[in-house]
Amino acid sequence: MRGLLGPREVPRLWERHVLNSVALAELVPVGARLVDIGTGAGLPGIAVACVRPDLRVDLVESLLRRTDYLSEVVDDLGMTARVRVIRGRAEDGQVRDKVGSAGYVTARAVAPMDKLVKWSFPLLKPNGSLLALKGSAAEDELAAHRALIVRMGGEIVGVKECGVGLVEPPTRVVQIVRR
Ligand SMILES: C[S@@+](CC[C@H](N)C(=O)[O-])C[C@H]1O[C@@H](n2cnc3c(N)ncnc32)[C@H](O)[C@@H]1O
């Protein structure tokens, strides 16, 4: 992984990272547009794009070394027609212009909930969903940022468990709809 994941992560790459990311796909309907912010070495954006050829996916990542890697992977996997790599910060206007508005924004290990809501809402259509992979801290984060989420017009759908029977523990995803 060219130093994009720590060496300690290699033995648990499949279960803890790839399957954990793939599980999210069950929340995304057929034919949707999805924007993954802070994709890093490809999670969850590349993993979801691999198992869901019906989706159009934008991978937004701020670091050049990572976007270079992501572009190479998208090319190698023959996904350039439906997966774009966009270098920049999710909150930047230029990124917003490129992305337009999507039905779904995903993020895994990128930022606290308040930032994710602020960054993702401008990229979402009305009634679009932010899907944030948050693990065991999900409820605490929601409680800490509930007031801001509501003030911004977000409806907290809740914490969903995905990948039951596929990955242990199941993936915990916070879903917030932009109303
Ligand atoms: C801890 S890594 C997680 C990467 C990947 N999502 C994963 O689960 O393995 C966070 C990534 O988010 C990127 N990032 C952080 N803030 C960002 C922002 N505002 N816009 C775009 N990318 C961002 C960082 O460069 C980094 O690659």
Side-chain angles (χ1 to χ4, degrees):
M1 292 295 274
R2 299 190 215 167
L4 295 172
L5 277 181
R8 279 195 319 170
E9 299 308 315
V10 175
R12 50 190 186 181
L13 186 60
W14 186 251
E15 189 94 351
R16 190 185 164 112
H17 296 284
V18 178
L19 290 182
N20 172 268
S21 295
V22 161
L24 171 80
E26 69 192 48
L27 296 178
V28 183
V30 173
R33 263 201 73 207
L34 182 152
V35 180
D36 183 34
I37 61 182
T39 307
L43 301 171
I46 294 270
V48 171
C50 283
V51 297
R52 290 289 302 275
D54 57 296
L55 302 180
R56 281 178 299 142
V57 179
D58 286 343
L59 310 173
V60 177
E61 168 55 53
S62 54
L63 294 182
L64 177 63
R65 196 163 66 93
R66 293 180 181 166
T67 52
D68 282 350
Y69 172 76
L70 291 170
S71 299
E72 214 179 298
V73 170
V74 169
D75 204 23
D76 284 353
L77 294 174
M79 300 196 297
T80 48
R82 63 184 184 90
V83 180
R84 296 191 297 177
V85 178
I86 295 171
R87 185 178 169 219
R89 298 192 63 84
E91 64 272 36
D92 282 355
Q94 282 178 339
V95 169
R96 234 174 265 164
D97 291 344
K98 279 188 198 152
V99 167
S101 59
Y104 291 82
V105 170
T106 56
R108 178 178 185 265
V110 177
M113 222 48 233
D114 54 340
K115 284 194 177 152
L116 290 182
V117 169
K118 284 183 192 159
W119 297 350
S120 66
F121 274 24
L123 305 177
L124 281 171
K125 296 181 199 167
N127 299 321
S129 281
L130 165 64
L131 302 174
L133 284 77
K134 282 293 181 185
S136 56
E139 282 84 0
D140 289 348
E141 276 215 41
L142 272 180
H145 301 294
R146 183 175 297 274
L148 174 125
I149 295 168
V150 171
R151 203 163 56 241
M152 288 196 62
E155 179 189 324
I156 299 169
V157 177
V159 181
K160 305 224 164 170
E161 294 218 321
C162 302
V164 176
L166 170 78
V167 62
E168 186 50 42
T171 305
R172 307 190 80 236
V173 182
V174 174
Q175 181 167 16
I176 297 173
V177 176
R178 181 196 160 198
R179 293 298 184 202

